[in-house]
């Protein structure tokens, strides 16, 4: 039996198996990293959902103060409703979707800040234990949101790096992997906050 006859076939088999394993590794790593991004996005949504649930309780507590400004409550309720209508497909997070989501959530933060500032005028409400508990929970939730957003960006980076480095970039597009957007600050967030007394 002449081994030289089979040598080209053995070399071809090694190249095909090696190439298959290499491309499979690129795809499977991208799938794993994409799943990490989706899980992180789920954590972001959970944190925002917790805030929305707390806002409902906070608004109901504040409604008990009969002379409380109705326009402030209305702004919070409308911002919350708008934020819950903005949804994102975690498998295809585009910068535009993330900007719209971020903008809606920023509206909630802004109206909530106005609500909490307005409460300062109402000593009975400021002393209400339910209100104080909800206010503490909201502060804690804002920290959870920041943490979830940071972890989301940390999950996006290795995914984007994996699909954009050569030679992975050659195959990522063929397998349907697209770059995912990062959470960025809301436009104008770099400006200092104006405090008036």
């Amino acid at each position: 039996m002449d081994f030289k006859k089979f040598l080209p076939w053995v070399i071809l088999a090694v190249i095909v198996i090696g190439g298959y394993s290499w491309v499979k590794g690129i795809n499977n790593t991208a799938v794993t990293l994409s799943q990490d991004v989706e899980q992180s996005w789920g954590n972001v949504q959970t944190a925002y959902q917790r805030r929305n649930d707390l806002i409902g309780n906070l608004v109901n507590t504040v409604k008990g103060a009969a002379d409380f400004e109705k326009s402030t409550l209305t702004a919070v309720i409308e911002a919350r409703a708008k934020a819950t209508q903005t949804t994102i497909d975690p498998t295809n997070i585009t910068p535009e979707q993330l900007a719209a989501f971020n903008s809606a959530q920023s509206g909630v933060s802004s109206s909530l800040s106005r609500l909490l500032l307005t409460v300062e005028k109402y000593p009975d409400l400021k002393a209400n234990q339910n209100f104080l508990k909800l206010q503490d929970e909201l502060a804690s939730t804002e920290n959870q949101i920041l943490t979830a957003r940071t972890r989301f960006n940390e999950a996006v980076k290795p995914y984007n790096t994996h699909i954009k480095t050569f030679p992975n970039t050659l195959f990522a597009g063929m397998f349907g992997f697209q770059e995912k957007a990062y959470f960025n600050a809301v436009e104008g967030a770099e400006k200092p906050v104006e405090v008036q007394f």
Side-chain angles (χ1 to χ4, degrees):
M1 190 157 142
D2 192 11
F3 182 69
K4 289 183 180 180
K5 243 181 169 175
F6 295 105
L7 186 60
W9 292 107
V10 170
I11 292 172
L12 181 63
V14 167
I15 291 172
V16 167
I17 291 170
Y20 170 78
S21 296
W22 177 64
V23 171
K24 183 178 104 175
I26 290 171
N27 181 68
N28 290 350
T29 301
V31 167
T32 301
L33 293 172
S34 180
Q35 289 297 307
D36 291 345
V37 171
E38 289 180 38
Q39 178 188 15
S40 292
W41 179 248
N43 293 339
V44 169
Q45 288 182 309
T46 300
Y48 277 116
Q49 182 61 51
R50 175 174 160 71
R51 179 172 76 170
N52 286 336
D53 294 344
L54 287 171
I55 288 171
N57 293 334
L58 185 72
V59 166
N60 288 333
T61 302
V62 172
K63 276 183 185 175
D67 58 344
F68 196 82
E69 285 97 344
K70 300 288 185 229
S71 63
T72 306
L73 284 176
T74 303
V76 172
I77 293 167
E78 288 173 358
R80 178 180 172 228
K82 182 180 176 190
T84 57
Q85 291 172 356
T86 307
T87 58
I88 292 180
D89 174 12
T91 60
N92 184 27
I93 298 173
T94 65
E96 296 78 21
Q97 288 176 324
L98 209 49
F101 182 85
N102 209 10
S103 176
Q105 294 301 333
S106 176
V108 173
S109 297
S110 177
S111 61
L112 193 56
S113 295
R114 284 193 301 278
L115 172 71
L116 295 176
L117 282 173
T118 306
V119 164
E120 294 298 317
K121 300 177 192 173
Y122 297 86
D124 291 347
L125 191 53
K126 281 176 33 179
N128 181 314
Q129 291 302 310
N130 285 342
F131 179 79
L132 293 173
K133 183 175 183 271
L134 287 167
Q135 195 174 11
D136 285 345
E137 286 186 40
L138 273 171
S140 169
T141 300
E142 291 298 330
N143 288 333
Q144 290 174 4
I145 289 170
L146 174 63
T147 300
R149 287 173 57 154
T150 302
R151 288 184 179 154
F152 172 78
N153 282 348
E154 289 171 354
V156 168
K157 183 181 178 189
Y159 168 82
N160 283 348
T161 301
H162 178 74
I163 67 162
K164 291 177 78 174
T165 53
F166 185 80
N168 299 358
T169 189
L170 299 174
F171 298 101
M174 287 191 319
F175 296 141
F177 295 105
Q178 302 296 320
E179 182 178 4
K180 296 193 187 286
Y182 287 98
F183 247 115
N184 292 316
V186 179
E187 199 172 307
E190 72 283 356
K191 296 175 186 167
V193 176
E194 206 176 291
V195 179
Q196 296 177 348
F197 293 101

